[in-house]
Amino acid sequence: MPCLAYHYHMINHMTLKESEVLAVPENNIQYRWISLQEVCDYLGVKRHTVMRWIDQRGMPASKIGKLWRFKTADIDEWVKKGGASDEREVIK
């Protein structure tokens, strides 16, 4: 497959113009699934806090096998709606 090797070589040695670099969308993190560790880093909280929020506050998350996955767009919306707020409802 010398043809593929040639194209791979050519692509690796191409330089991008500044306009081409700027046209690339920013890191589309909101459209990909992130891990539990990534959501902890994203929000600046510990693992047990995220697990408590999933269990007690309805934090949007999906469990795939044994792994938790999150969409940052859903997390952002949940936070904006007060899901991570420290304010507690008073039980009457």
Side-chain angles (χ1 to χ4, degrees):
M1 296 199 170
C3 187
L4 288 176
Y6 171 77
H7 288 295
Y8 179 75
H9 173 77
M10 293 304 293
I11 290 170
N12 279 339
H13 290 87
M14 292 173 67
T15 58
L16 293 175
K17 297 176 195 164
E18 184 177 351
S19 61
E20 292 173 320
V21 174
L22 295 175
V24 175
E26 290 184 15
N27 184 2
N28 282 329
I29 192 170
Q30 66 186 10
Y31 299 112
R32 71 177 185 91
W33 293 96
I34 64 172
S35 68
L36 178 58
Q37 183 58 54
E38 288 173 308
V39 83
C40 291
D41 295 341
Y42 184 70
L43 296 174
V45 296
K46 303 277 187 192
R47 182 185 187 280
H48 70 273
T49 301
V50 171
M51 297 308 295
R52 188 177 71 243
W53 286 347
I54 292 168
D55 187 47
Q56 298 176 3
R57 296 189 185 187
M59 181 181 202
S62 295
K63 195 162 189 186
I64 302 170
K66 294 181 181 181
L67 305 174
W68 285 101
R69 294 290 183 244
F70 307 82
K71 290 266 186 152
T72 55
D74 295 342
I75 298 299
D76 290 342
E77 188 64 29
W78 178 78
V79 169
K80 286 178 189 174
K81 289 181 178 179
S85 175
D86 282 339
E87 296 179 15
R88 304 277 190 237
E89 287 187 35
V90 177
I91 300 174
K92 295 179 181 180

